[in-house]
Amino acid sequence: MLDSFLFIPCDKVRFLNKMAKIDSDYFVLDFEDAVSEEGKEVAYQNAMAGEFEENVFFRLPVFDKVYSKDKLTKLIHKSRGNIVLPKLRSLNELDYFFRLLDDEQSRRIILLIENPECFLNLEKMLQRYGSDIYAIGFGSHDFCSEMNMKHLLKFIHPIKLQLNVISKAYGVRFLDGVNVNFEDTKALIKECQFAYDLGMEGKFFIHPDQVNTANSIKYVDDEELNTMKKVYNKLLSLDEGEFDIIKVDGVIYEKPHIKRITKILRKLREI
């Protein structure tokens, strides 16, 4: 139910070669935190030599001056405009990034919110570039570090909720950040369920086992699924435009409820 975005260090050929065997919806080739300074050039060469599917994004250190403007432009072109943009703080920085793009280039940009400045400037960014923004991602660990705040759900929950509201207001997806302890399966399941319940569309992962765990989660239990099917079947029995509400098992469902139910059933391939 949550789309998976798996980080792959682009300097590690053995990891790149395993991508085809991993059941992740999307891959994020990492040129940033997961790659050492010595590995940056290797990552660049691997990317330029590779052939990648449309579900592959590049996380590029645009603002760290690790790569020359020429190399950044080539990497952006190689990515087909599928970019995860980290360490963003200001609208001016986002303006600079968009000046690197070709006017005719397709664009699916994921903004990582990793610091308070970006959080406060997010709406201005979406107002200017919303049509090119594919999703908002929350880099909760970097965010908490900058806030000098413990990485606990009770502290980051309000921030996630606000980011989800903003993303929905501007019609972009919201992606949950990584769980760095890939051996703690129970915590990962809890995080994924929370993200789904909050209305997020996806989550970042750092290990294939995490993707497998997320894919195995039953986000909707049998009772809830049966109720959704009843509502949808009642909808099918009515002529288009005939209803304002639907009543099932003593509960009233209005059009926003039905829209959500239909979306979930399609995601589950039940319709």
Side-chain angles (χ1 to χ4, degrees):
M1 291 292 289
L2 290 177
D3 284 342
S4 50
F5 291 75
L6 177 64
F7 283 108
I8 302 286
C10 199
D11 62 330
K12 303 295 191 296
V13 174
R14 68 183 186 278
F15 293 160
L16 296 174
N17 291 339
K18 293 178 180 179
M19 287 169 56
K21 298 179 180 180
I22 301 173
D23 189 21
S24 183
D25 297 298
Y26 300 91
F27 297 90
V28 181
L29 301 192
D30 201 358
F31 299 77
E32 200 215 11
D33 289 347
V35 179
S36 67
E37 292 301 314
E38 294 76 15
K40 301 294 187 188
E41 180 61 24
V42 177
Y44 173 78
Q45 296 297 336
N46 288 344
M48 298 308 296
E51 295 295 331
F52 305 106
E53 302 292 334
E54 293 184 359
N55 67 335
V56 174
F57 286 77
F58 287 11
R59 177 164 76 162
L60 296 178
V62 173
F63 311 114
D64 293 347
K65 299 182 179 179
V66 172
Y67 296 113
S68 66
K69 185 176 179 180
D70 178 63
K71 285 187 175 180
L72 274 177
T73 302
K74 289 179 180 178
L75 286 170
I76 291 170
H77 181 76
K78 186 72 176 181
S79 75
R80 301 186 181 91
N82 293 348
I83 302 294
V84 175
L85 194 59
K87 304 300 186 285
L88 176 65
R89 293 182 181 273
S90 70
L91 184 57
N92 287 339
E93 287 181 336
L94 192 57
D95 288 338
Y96 167 76
F97 166 73
F98 272 94
R99 288 195 295 269
L100 297 174
L101 304 181
D102 296 333
D103 290 338
E104 303 300 321
Q105 188 171 37
S106 63
R107 302 168 184 185
R108 288 199 299 174
I109 313 301
I110 299 176
L111 303 182
L112 285 185
I113 314 303
E114 299 176 296
N115 55 74
E117 295 97 321
C118 190
F119 178 84
L120 291 177
N121 288 318
L122 179 58
E123 287 201 62
K124 292 179 182 179
M125 296 173 182
L126 291 171
Q127 287 166 4
R128 183 169 297 181
Y129 295 109
S131 61
D132 294 315
I133 305 302
Y134 177 71
I136 301 300
F138 185 36
S140 58
H141 292 276
D142 283 352
F143 193 97
C144 288
S145 179
E146 292 231 357
M147 292 285 292
N148 196 29
M149 180 171 72
K150 286 187 176 181
H151 191 274
L152 299 175
L153 183 59
K154 64 181 179 180
F155 297 141
I156 61 178
H157 176 193
I159 300 165
K160 288 184 178 184
L161 182 58
Q162 289 183 70
L163 288 173
N164 195 37
V165 170
I166 293 171
S167 68
K168 296 301 186 292
Y170 287 90
V172 300
R173 309 169 87 202
F174 182 36
L175 312 178
D176 198 18
V178 301
N179 182 319
V180 296
N181 186 356
F182 59 85
E183 294 183 349
D184 192 344
T185 302
K186 289 183 179 180
L188 178 64
I189 292 173
K190 182 178 179 180
E191 276 191 12
C192 290
Q193 187 68 57
F194 178 84
Y196 168 79
D197 291 343
L198 192 64
M200 300 185 200
E201 286 80 11
K203 183 173 177 62
F204 291 106
F205 300 99
I206 59 173
H207 194 280
D209 287 348
Q210 293 182 318
V211 175
N212 294 335
T213 296
N215 289 342
S216 70
I217 296 173
K218 194 171 185 178
Y219 292 97
V220 180
D221 63 32
D222 291 339
E223 183 178 353
E224 185 180 5
L225 179 59
N226 288 334
T227 300
M228 289 182 178
K229 288 180 178 179
K230 286 183 182 179
V231 173
Y232 185 75
N233 289 334
K234 183 70 175 291
L235 172 67
L236 294 181
S237 70
L238 302 174
D239 292 333
E240 186 175 353
E242 183 180 329
F243 74 96
D244 291 317
I245 61 172
I246 290 177
K247 295 180 182 178
V248 173
D249 296 335
V251 179
I252 291 176
Y253 296 88
E254 298 177 316
K255 290 182 178 179
H257 303 124
I258 296 167
K259 181 179 179 181
R260 177 178 180 271
I261 287 171
T262 303
K263 183 178 180 180
I264 291 172
L265 291 176
R266 283 176 178 161
K267 184 72 174 177
L268 291 171
R269 298 179 181 177
E270 294 286 342
I271 58 175

